[in-house]
Amino acid sequence: EDKVVQSPLSLVVHEGDTVTLNCSYEVTNFRSLLWYKQEKKAPTFLFMLTSSGIEKKSGRLSSILDKKELSSILNITATQTGDSAIYLCAVALTGGGNKLTFGTGTQLKVEL
Amino acid sequence: EAQVTQNPRYLITVTGKKLTVTCSQNMNHEYMSWYRQDPGLGLRQIYYSMNVEVTDKGDVPEGYKVSRKEKRNFPLILESPSPNQTSLYFCASSSNDRVATGELFFGEGSRLTVL
């Protein structure tokens, strides 16, 4: 059974801290790994990583895919209160349905 | 503005009373899908549609129906809702060139409670 596991489940940091969120996966037919940010509404797309593009960066956020360890990290530097959200990791599989298998998410709270 | 619109956003209903959650996208996307989100279980796919008149089951299709008669609309139908269908539902869409790598555009979500 395909599985995506995120850690930690939740964490609280202070503004300005750097955080690292983890995602590991056990799936057949891996195509890509994605990170989404979910505030109080719809998940929004952050990054997509594939075997040919294992590192992405956008502002204070960056992500790396470790193909050997079947895992990914999402780093957020100089955190702000607006970074408070649930961060979802998902893996896209080849084959029918273009289904995403999601982890349960990491709840991040950034305090002043 | 490019968006995926779901209605209703919130609904409380009773067991057995048929309901439909509508989903509409204005991006001319071929692909549409429904997910449900439950605590500790993450997002799980219910049904998906690769294009008009083409639908298929996801991981948790029991108790749900869908139709795709028009490209922009993908309603989710609960013929006889039960309490275990209490959940947060998301509709998502994507274009054919993006869906294969997993980039989806999500609606705002519909919180359904079945008593």
Side-chain angles (χ1 to χ4, degrees), chain B residues 3 10 20 26 33 40-41 49 55 65 77-78 104 109 113 115:
Chain B
Q3 57 187 0
Y10 302 91
T20 299
N26 62 2
S33 182
L41 295 175
S49 170
T55 64
K65 287 174 58 178
I77 303 158
L78 286 73
L104 300 178
T113 301
L115 302 175

Side-chain angles (χ1 to χ4, degrees), chain B residues 6-93:
Chain B
Q6 298 179 223
N7 280 295
R9 297 286 315 283
Y10 302 91
L11 179 64
I12 300 173
T13 189
V14 295
T15 299
K17 186 176 181 181
K18 180 180 178 180
L19 68 94
T20 299
V21 186
T22 63
C23 174
S24 180
Q25 49 93 7
N26 62 2
M27 295 169 279
N28 201 36
H29 285 164
E30 296 83 5
Y31 180 89
M32 297 185 76
S33 182
W34 278 101
Y35 284 82
R36 61 179 287 175
Q37 186 176 34
D38 302 290
L41 295 175
L43 282 151
R44 294 177 294 167
Q45 189 184 56
I46 303 170
Y47 268 95
Y48 65 95
S49 170
M50 301 294 288
N51 214 324
V52 176
E53 302 292 359
V54 180
T55 64
D56 211 341
K57 297 176 180 178
D59 290 327
V60 289
E62 296 78 19
Y64 305 95
K65 287 174 58 178
V66 293
S67 67
R68 187 91 182 273
K69 296 176 181 171
E70 304 167 282
K71 196 173 187 179
R72 63 182 293 127
N73 296 322
F74 191 44
L76 179 70
I77 303 158
L78 286 73
E79 293 272 3
S80 183
S82 61
N84 65 12
Q85 293 178 296
T86 293
S87 188
L88 178 59
Y89 291 87
F90 287 101
C91 180
S93 72

Side-chain angles (χ1 to χ4, degrees), chain A:
Chain A
E1 183 183 338
D2 298 321
K3 189 165 58 174
V4 176
V5 178
Q6 293 186 245
S7 64
L9 290 180
S10 65
L11 73 162
V12 180
V13 300
H14 291 100
E15 250 195 350
D17 288 349
T18 294
V19 298
T20 298
L21 310 182
N22 301 287
C23 176
S24 64
Y25 58 92
E26 291 179 33
V27 301
T28 53
N29 305 315
F30 174 90
R31 185 192 293 272
S32 61
L33 185 143
L34 301 101
W35 286 96
Y36 283 84
K37 178 182 182 182
Q38 184 177 18
E39 296 173 87
K40 292 185 179 177
K41 42 188 179 178
T44 54
F45 173 79
L46 291 174
F47 295 119
M48 186 266 291
L49 303 155
T50 67
S51 298
S52 58
I54 61 172
E55 188 168 355
K56 293 284 178 73
K57 183 175 171 62
S58 176
R60 296 178 295 102
L61 277 66
S62 63
S63 183
I64 298 172
L65 175 68
D66 187 332
K67 295 178 290 181
K68 187 175 179 182
E69 296 296 327
L70 305 184
S71 64
S72 175
I73 60 170
L74 176 67
N75 279 322
I76 308 175
T77 60
T79 51
Q80 303 170 357
T81 54
D83 295 326
S84 297
I86 298 172
Y87 290 84
L88 300 170
C89 175
V91 173
L93 310 177
T94 59
N98 293 302
K99 185 185 71 170
L100 296 182
T101 298
F102 282 87
T104 54
T106 293
Q107 172 97 55
L108 172 65
K109 184 175 181 182
V110 181
E111 295 181 335
L112 291 171

